[in-house]
Amino acid sequence: MRGGLALLSTVSPPPPPPLRRLRLRPLFSSDILRVKSRRSVWSIRTQAATTMASDQENIGNVRKQLAKLFETSLRTTVPEESDVEPLVAACTAKFGDYQCNNAMSLWPRIKGKKTEFRGPPAVGQALMKNLPSSEMVEACSVAGPGFVNVTLSKNWIAKNIQKMLIDGIETCAPGLSVKRVVVDFSSPNIAKEMHVGHLRSTIIGDTLARMLEFSNVEVLRRNHVGDWGTQFGMLIEFLFEKFPDWESAGDTAIGDLQAFYKASKQKFDEDPVFKERAQKAVVRLQGGEPRYRSAWAQICDISRREFDGVYQRLGVSLEEKGESFYNPYIPSVLEMLSELGLVEESEGARVIFVEGFERPVIVVKKDGGYNYASTDLAALWYRLNIEKAEWIIYVTDVGQSEHFQMFFKAAKRAGWLPDDDKAYPRTNHVGFGLVLGEDGKRFRTRSTEVVRLADLLDEAKARSKAALIERGKDKEWSEEDLDKIAEAVGYGAVKYADLKNNRTTNYTFNFDQMLNDKGNTAVYLLYAHARMCSIIRKSGKDIEELKKTGSIALNHPDERALGLHLLQFGETVEEACTNLLPNVLCEYLYNLSENFTKFYSNCQVVGSAEETSRLLLCEATAVVMRKCFHLLGIVPVHKL
């Protein structure tokens, strides 16, 4: 249906047990089995998550630190409005760094009551007056209809940057309200090659996983591969027909798996007798016949090795739990849903009706077979009850949006998920658009074939290497360095060109644009990072020693602007995680490089009176850039 450094492990499917042997009910607590009690379980889990989040001092989030100050001010200013949360956001205007926007929304609530205030501006003035003193705030002002503008102390900014340098970038990590998340991504189909259509799911899912992991969340990276579909009957029967001694022939019997698949599909479409045998083979496979299971396992292993090569190149890690893994759980899950009165007979199939959709969720087809919905329901049950995930994120193309909407509503009807989409346990479908060619159509080769992902990566590396050789780097660097940097730049360019776009939109794949060293590209950003490293090297100073003995001062406006942007790293990662939008981090990274360029253009570093401070600022920028690159799955380079 759907669609790392190596697969962390390959999980073989458990043998499908008889229905009466696998009783799922005992695995639920008695509370969870009862719908009413489920509500209390959600309440407890949601309350615990909220308490955990509020108890954590999020030193990496400037906005949240300011919000705590304004929370105190609100309680003093309007003590009777105890449910009002502070509305603090980064400023886009020239009036300050952050802004509290509560005054306007508060006024309609209090103007009908006895109040000393005479409009939103007066509320804003009171909020400013009642703001607790803090070393982080340098100045405040009220503008327009009560907006409270806050200017941060440059000394406080400098001190926090230095703390990050000494204690590590992890001090900037967000504190999210969940502890265990499943990210379901990549998910190619066994016996088919990974193509450009899998690119987005793989790198978007990997980036979301990396950002959540940085935020101290345990992430279960799941590769829900298609390894249990009807195509296996076709493949197995073709294998038996062409190679009667396939067991002794091993992998050589299949050879090129993609060519083998095409040949078997052609025979399946053209030969009715073969088609019937293939359909019966599916039943034998799913029934557990050893010969069919053995052939299935061999085909899966060949496919996994091909996937693994692509994942290694992309630096993506995944743990496979494919469709076959959840197949044994389907009968009992459907039995439980039937006992809840959710599964009904409709036109020979078994279905679940969900509000807002004319057609139901089919969980058992007319022929008695299972489908994507039945597998997804079993997988969701497993993830919630066995793996104890609080948040399950599915990364697939937007074309599957309706499937997930219906599937999630069915799970809500079962009482597995709360009605509130923001409460936990929670599910989200992370949809993404198409990769287009220059003609505006789905990206394909000239022969109209889907572009193989391995071929795309080969070309990215080759073009990157050619550009480096054109600049004479083959004469400066060893062949090994040239090859490694070409790979880092080429693969990074492909990833960033995808991730910088809002994932919900289509984007046009263009090598020339993504490998351009000007504009919002990975190449430009990697150059910026290499330049920072070069500045520090040329100074001849020991940067680790400077961290201990030196200090940062932000006296020039461009120094301060860069410093403020560095401090906003943590809240940017939190925003990207919360909204599941990697492009938010890409925008931050590009703006960071722009701020650095402006700083470097106007502030001499090496040889200046402020050399120590500015070298530390260069190092802090490089550290944050490297963490951004890591979260985006891009390998930084230290020379270009």
Side-chain angles (χ1 to χ4, degrees):
M1 173 92 182
R2 325 254 205 270
L5 193 66
L7 296 178
L8 293 180
S9 67
T10 300
V11 183
S12 299
L19 180 62
R20 294 300 168 189
R21 287 185 59 199
L22 179 66
R23 295 290 295 178
L24 298 193
R25 281 189 144 193
L27 296 175
F28 285 99
S29 71
S30 58
D31 285 338
I32 297 177
L33 273 176
R34 295 181 178 87
V35 175
K36 288 183 179 179
S37 296
R38 283 194 196 97
R39 306 289 176 182
S40 64
V41 172
W42 296 329
S43 176
I44 292 167
R45 290 177 69 176
T46 305
Q47 183 180 5
T50 304
T51 302
M52 176 178 62
S54 62
D55 287 347
Q56 286 183 329
E57 183 67 26
N58 197 334
I59 62 171
N61 192 315
V62 178
R63 183 184 60 78
K64 282 191 173 178
Q65 291 182 67
L66 277 175
K68 286 192 173 184
L69 295 178
F70 276 102
E71 184 176 13
T72 301
S73 176
L74 281 163
R75 301 297 168 257
T76 304
T77 305
V78 284
E80 66 282 3
E81 306 294 336
S82 59
D83 61 335
V84 177
E85 295 297 324
L87 304 175
V88 178
C91 258
T92 55
K94 59 183 178 180
F95 302 108
D97 301 320
Y98 285 82
Q99 190 174 76
C100 177
N101 301 322
N102 282 94
M104 283 190 70
S105 58
L106 263 175
W107 177 243
R109 296 179 58 159
I110 64 176
K111 69 177 180 179
K113 304 173 184 179
K114 290 183 179 180
T115 177
E116 63 186 279
F117 305 116
R118 293 294 177 266
V123 178
Q125 290 288 345
L127 288 172
M128 181 178 72
K129 177 185 174 183
N130 292 325
L131 195 68
S133 61
S134 170
E135 64 172 336
M136 72 185 296
V137 178
E138 185 169 288
C140 287
S141 63
V142 177
F147 299 128
V148 183
N149 296 307
V150 177
T151 300
L152 300 180
S153 160
K154 64 182 180 181
N155 293 333
W156 181 83
I157 296 172
K159 185 179 79 172
N160 278 271
I161 294 171
Q162 196 139 1
K163 179 177 174 60
M164 180 269 289
L165 277 175
I166 294 170
D167 295 342
I169 189 72
E170 288 70 26
T171 59
C172 299
L176 301 185
S177 61
V178 291
K179 286 300 179 186
R180 180 175 289 179
V181 176
V182 168
V183 183
D184 177 329
F185 68 106
S186 191
S187 308
N189 286 317
I190 293 288
K192 293 183 181 179
E193 286 184 302
M194 291 183 72
H195 53 75
V196 71
H198 296 111
L199 177 67
R200 300 207 77 181
S201 178
T202 303
I203 64 178
I204 291 171
D206 180 55
T207 294
L208 292 176
R210 286 170 181 260
M211 291 193 298
L212 288 163
E213 287 160 349
F214 175 64
S215 305
N216 299 307
V217 174
E218 180 187 2
V219 178
L220 307 181
R221 293 160 161 262
R222 292 289 176 258
N223 202 5
H224 190 92
V225 297
D227 65 349
W228 204 240
T230 55
Q231 77 269 23
F232 283 97
M234 173 186 81
L235 290 165
I236 291 168
E237 280 302 320
F238 192 71
L239 178 65
F240 290 167
E241 180 178 294
K242 293 294 181 183
F243 301 95
D245 61 340
W246 62 273
E247 289 176 295
S248 57
D251 292 359
T252 56
I254 293 176
D256 184 335
L257 189 57
Q258 190 71 1
F260 186 84
Y261 181 90
K262 287 180 180 179
S264 65
K265 182 68 166 67
Q266 183 178 355
K267 187 170 182 64
F268 183 87
D269 292 339
E270 296 174 357
D271 186 339
V273 176
F274 176 80
K275 183 175 183 178
E276 184 178 354
R277 287 208 318 272
Q279 290 169 337
K280 289 180 180 177
V282 176
V283 177
R284 290 176 173 175
L285 169 65
Q286 296 185 351
E289 287 193 28
R291 182 166 176 250
Y292 286 81
R293 279 297 181 98
S294 179
W296 169 79
Q298 180 172 324
I299 293 168
C300 288
D301 285 343
I302 295 170
S303 219
R304 285 188 188 106
R305 288 197 291 273
E306 293 189 7
F307 297 161
D308 190 46
V310 173
Y311 291 137
Q312 285 191 37
R313 295 174 72 175
L314 290 172
V316 173
S317 62
L318 283 154
E319 182 180 10
E320 181 185 313
K321 276 196 169 101
E323 292 174 354
S324 62
F325 180 87
Y326 303 105
N327 193 68
Y329 297 94
I330 294 175
S332 295
V333 167
L334 295 184
E335 180 190 11
M336 183 182 63
L337 293 173
S338 297
E339 290 176 0
L340 289 171
L342 302 184
V343 180
E344 305 176 35
E345 296 290 330
S346 177
E347 298 180 7
R350 298 179 69 197
V351 304
I352 299 174
F353 287 95
V354 294
E355 187 180 354
F357 294 90
E358 290 186 12
R359 58 189 181 88
V361 177
I362 299 173
V363 293
V364 182
K365 297 182 292 185
K366 292 180 181 180
D367 62 5
Y370 302 132
N371 60 6
Y372 296 132
S374 37
T375 301
D376 278 341
L377 283 166
L380 177 60
W381 180 89
Y382 184 91
R383 289 163 175 178
L384 290 172
N385 294 281
I386 305 300
E387 295 182 320
K388 306 296 184 185
E390 299 163 89
W391 192 7
I392 300 100
I393 298 166
Y394 300 82
V395 186
T396 76
D397 64 272
V398 293
Q400 297 184 40
S401 295
E402 185 175 87
H403 164 76
F404 283 102
Q405 289 173 30
M406 296 174 71
F407 157 49
F408 295 161
K409 285 197 172 186
K412 287 180 181 180
R413 279 202 66 195
W416 296 355
L417 300 173
D419 292 330
D420 182 355
D421 288 336
K422 294 185 179 179
Y424 296 101
R426 176 179 171 186
T427 55
N428 280 95
H429 174 227
V430 175
F432 53 82
L434 298 173
V435 182
L436 305 177
E438 293 295 315
D439 57 0
K441 298 178 181 178
R442 197 184 287 262
F443 189 38
R444 296 182 182 274
T445 63
R446 289 181 181 177
S447 61
T448 73
E449 292 284 335
V450 174
V451 178
R452 294 174 66 249
L453 194 44
D455 292 342
L456 183 146
L457 295 175
D458 286 342
E459 185 167 358
K461 180 180 176 180
R463 285 178 178 242
S464 174
K465 191 170 185 177
L468 291 170
I469 291 172
E470 189 176 335
R471 293 176 50 233
K473 296 301 179 182
D474 56 325
K475 297 178 177 62
E476 297 178 29
W477 303 339
S478 68
E479 181 61 30
E480 183 182 2
D481 280 353
L482 180 66
D483 204 57
K484 283 183 178 178
I485 292 174
E487 191 171 276
V489 173
Y491 298 171
V494 170
K495 288 186 176 185
Y496 188 80
D498 187 309
L499 294 169
K500 74 176 182 180
N501 298 286
N502 186 306
R503 58 173 170 75
T504 59
T505 62
N506 301 338
Y507 83 96
T508 301
F509 193 94
N510 184 306
F511 271 123
D512 291 335
Q513 288 180 7
M514 64 180 60
L515 289 167
N516 197 325
D517 60 4
K518 296 178 178 62
N520 189 9
T521 68
V523 183
Y524 168 76
L525 295 169
L526 289 166
Y527 268 112
H529 174 260
R531 185 165 70 248
M532 293 169 206
C533 297
S534 175
I535 292 166
I536 295 168
R537 280 197 306 270
K538 288 178 179 177
S539 74
K541 300 294 175 64
D542 183 340
I543 199 69
E544 294 303 318
E545 189 62 31
L546 290 185
K547 289 179 188 178
K548 300 173 188 174
T549 60
S551 61
I552 296 174
L554 304 174
N555 296 319
H556 192 282
D558 293 333
E559 291 175 316
R560 188 187 183 283
L562 177 57
L564 175 62
H565 197 74
L566 288 169
L567 278 199
Q568 292 172 331
F569 168 65
E571 63 196 60
T572 302
V573 175
E574 182 164 345
E575 180 189 350
C577 284
T578 302
N579 297 318
L580 302 170
L581 291 172
N583 63 294
V584 169
L585 182 61
C586 293
E587 183 181 3
Y588 171 86
L589 177 57
Y590 177 67
N591 289 334
L592 178 60
S593 68
E594 292 288 272
N595 277 324
F596 178 81
T597 299
K598 191 174 180 183
F599 151 74
Y600 186 61
S601 299
N602 296 323
C603 301
Q604 181 185 344
V605 179
V606 178
S608 69
E610 302 86 356
E611 181 181 74
T612 295
S613 169
R614 290 175 178 173
L615 282 172
L616 289 172
L617 199 53
C618 287
E619 174 67 7
T621 307
V623 166
V624 173
M625 283 196 84
R626 283 194 287 272
K627 181 53 70 173
C628 288
F629 285 140
H630 170 76
L631 298 179
L632 297 171
I634 297 172
V635 178
V637 294
H638 293 74
K639 59 183 181 180
L640 263 179

